[in-house]
Each structure stands twice: as structure tokens, then as C-alpha cells.
Amino acid sequence: PECAGTIRALGDGVRDRQVGDKVMVLARSGLWQEVVNVPASSTFPMPEGMSFEEAAALLVNYITAYMVLFDFGNLRPNQSVLIHMAAGGVGTAAIQLCKTVENVTIFGTASASKHDFLRESGVTHPIDYRTMDYAEEIRKISPKGVDIVLDPLGGSDTSKAFNLLKPMGKIIIYGAANVITGHKKSLVAMAKTWWNQFCINALQLLSQNKAVCGYHLGYMVEEVELIGGVVAKLVNLYTQGKIKPKIDSVWPFDQVGDAMRQMQEKKNVGKVILVPELPKEESKKGEN
């Protein structure tokens, strides 16, 4: 859904772009190619000093993290946030954005091997979801719970997260990784996760004083003005040095299988990038 490159040609009537402009692109699909054809409104000028790899890693993760944290989450100083999959693309973006607000406490779930990275990134309390109950760990540190939960998991984790919210707290659901990931995931396991999907009605929300939000960038790519405003804010933060996309690794198109495996096996810390081909210097290193 995202890529970066140089404009080769313009369609009739395009006045605000020029051939040779370096741009970031947001689209629903079809970007794993050397040349793509997209509406001009789906392109955003790259800021000075940004690499194509960074540009390809910015839009989806940072737009999602920004809108979830600030537009839905209304993050303010002295609040606390739970970020699941904290070492992933949206997770690392969310951590950086949390650091732009004063005195935010960040709880981040990830496997233990990624905790040093998370601490260096600004996570206050990394939690190994594989060996401990993250809800219990959070309660030990913050008995009242947290103000905001970013939930890409779905299933029973959404219920746990909702129960962790303080009064006036917000959970923003932006994925269902529990349903769709895992190379050994069986249909029975998927059905069980779906059955355990969190469900609440409006009257129950009244007594809880909590908010449940749903976010999916894919259904908003047509909202040009809305998305454009967020991208402008992100570019401003980038030029100020407050955010910087974390690149895990860069793979040529002919190694796309290895790139996907890197993510499926949860080895990546940050974004996995595809390029048509690696520069000659890097290719030589790989051969050696």
C-alpha cells in the first residue's frame, strides 16, 4: 500500500507535480513494481534529506500511529499508553510519536529479544507477552490501568485491553493479528479467536466511561484532505528530527519470499523494505 520513487511522467491536468520530483505514494495495492501509475493526489513530496527507504516506510505506519494516538486517542501529557507489537512498524512509529508528548508512560509488548531496543527507543516498561500476562504486569506497575491501548490483535486480547482502561480511557482497534497470522494457525484456532472477539453495546459503554474505536487506513485513502493534513504534520516532525522511520532490512524483488519470512517469523525490528534490486556495492557484500 505504500512506496517511494521519482516521477517519470505526468497525466493531463497535473499542475502541482513535476517530472523528477521525489514522492511518497499511498495506494490500496499494486506497488510491488518498478513503475506504478497512481493518482497525483496519492503522492506526497519527500522532505529534504529523506531516503527512498525511509519514505517507503513512513506513510502507512506513521499515519496509522498518528491518527490512532492523537485523533482517536487524544494523547496528552502525563498519560499512559499500551502498545502491542511494539517493535513492529506501527509500534515503533507510535513510540516515537508518544515521545513528542511530555511525560508519557509507555508499556510495550514484544518478545524478550527486542526489549533492549524498546528501552532505547523510549518504552518505559517492555513486557514479554510470551512468558507473562501483560495485563497482570501492567496492574502491578499501574493499578488503575492505562489511558490508551493500541490494539492490532483482536480476539480475547481486546477484552483484556478494555478491562485495563482507566475511566475515560480509549482502546483503538486497528487490526486482528490473532485471526490472520501464524503459519501453523488452524481453522479451529481462527474460529475460536473470532468467537472470542470483543463485543459490547452502547448501554454498557455508558456505565464504563470508556471508548472503543476502530481504525483502518485502507478504507480512508480516498480522504485526500484528511490524509494530506496528517502527512504534512508528519513531514514537519521528520524535518525537526522528532520521528525517523526504523528500517529493519532491505530486500530485492527476487527475494520477496525471504522478506515475507522475516516478518512471519517475527524477526524484524521496524520496517521490511522491497527494492527492485540492491545497489552493486551491497550485492557484492552479499556474495562475499
Side-chain angles (χ1 to χ4, degrees):
E2 61 188 330
C3 71
T6 305
I7 294 177
R8 287 193 181 183
L10 300 171
D12 294 339
V14 177
R15 299 284 178 264
D16 56 352
R17 298 285 183 272
Q18 294 182 343
V19 172
D21 283 355
K22 295 179 178 181
V23 292
M24 305 175 277
V25 178
L26 187 66
R28 284 186 173 163
S29 61
L31 301 182
W32 288 8
Q33 304 177 68
E34 291 188 38
V35 180
V36 297
N37 186 13
V38 296
S41 59
S42 297
T43 66
F44 306 91
M46 287 169 51
E48 198 71 35
M50 178 179 277
S51 69
F52 284 120
E53 288 81 9
E54 286 182 327
L58 183 86
L59 293 179
V60 170
N61 289 340
Y62 282 82
I63 291 172
T64 297
Y66 187 96
M67 297 187 81
V68 164
L69 274 175
F70 296 116
D71 294 326
F72 268 147
N74 192 26
L75 178 62
R76 298 194 300 277
N78 305 313
Q79 290 190 324
S80 54
V81 180
L82 168 58
I83 301 173
H84 284 298
M85 298 167 65
V90 175
T92 53
I95 292 164
Q96 291 179 14
L97 289 168
C98 282
K99 299 299 288 181
T100 68
V101 179
E102 188 180 0
N103 195 35
V104 171
T105 300
I106 306 171
F107 296 91
T109 65
S111 54
S113 62
K114 299 175 181 178
H115 285 194
D116 287 343
F117 164 75
L118 292 181
R119 288 189 189 92
E120 290 166 12
S121 302
V123 173
T124 325
H125 303 288
I127 301 171
D128 184 358
Y129 66 95
R130 292 177 175 176
T131 60
M132 55 185 64
D133 185 320
Y134 62 82
E136 287 182 12
E137 294 302 308
I138 291 171
R139 290 284 186 196
K140 289 176 187 174
I141 299 163
S142 177
K144 287 189 174 182
V146 297
D147 295 290
I148 301 169
V149 177
L150 278 57
D151 175 26
L153 302 176
S156 58
D157 284 292
T158 304
S159 299
K160 286 176 70 171
F162 183 81
N163 291 330
L164 268 174
L165 291 177
K166 294 178 181 179
M168 298 301 290
K170 307 162 193 75
I171 178 171
I172 304 95
I173 303 158
Y174 68 95
N178 283 336
V179 177
I180 60 175
T181 60
H183 55 284
K184 293 183 179 177
K185 183 74 78 175
S186 68
L187 289 175
V188 173
M190 288 177 66
K192 183 180 177 183
T193 302
W194 188 258
W195 179 257
N196 289 331
Q197 188 65 30
F198 176 74
C199 187
I200 193 168
N201 66 44
L203 286 176
Q204 289 172 304
L205 284 174
L206 284 176
S207 60
Q208 293 276 355
N209 287 299
K210 299 176 183 179
V212 179
C213 309
Y215 178 89
H216 194 303
L217 179 57
Y219 293 107
M220 273 202 302
V221 291
E222 310 297 332
E223 300 293 331
V224 176
E225 289 184 14
L226 181 62
I227 298 300
V230 175
V231 174
K233 292 170 185 172
L234 292 171
V235 166
N236 187 37
L237 288 171
Y238 177 87
T239 56
Q240 292 178 50
K242 292 184 177 179
I243 62 172
K244 186 175 178 65
K246 168 70 176 170
I247 309 298
D248 173 78
S249 51
V250 179
W251 307 76
F253 280 176
D254 60 10
Q255 291 180 26
V256 63
D258 295 326
M260 297 300 287
R261 204 168 295 114
Q262 176 85 351
M263 293 188 294
Q264 186 181 35
E265 295 175 0
K266 297 184 179 180
K267 292 179 179 176
N268 61 302
V269 176
K271 193 79 167 178
V272 174
I273 300 291
L274 290 177
V275 294
E277 57 185 20
L278 290 174
K280 288 181 180 176
E281 304 80 42
E282 293 190 29
S283 298
K284 286 176 184 174
K285 286 179 190 172
E287 289 168 11
N288 295 337

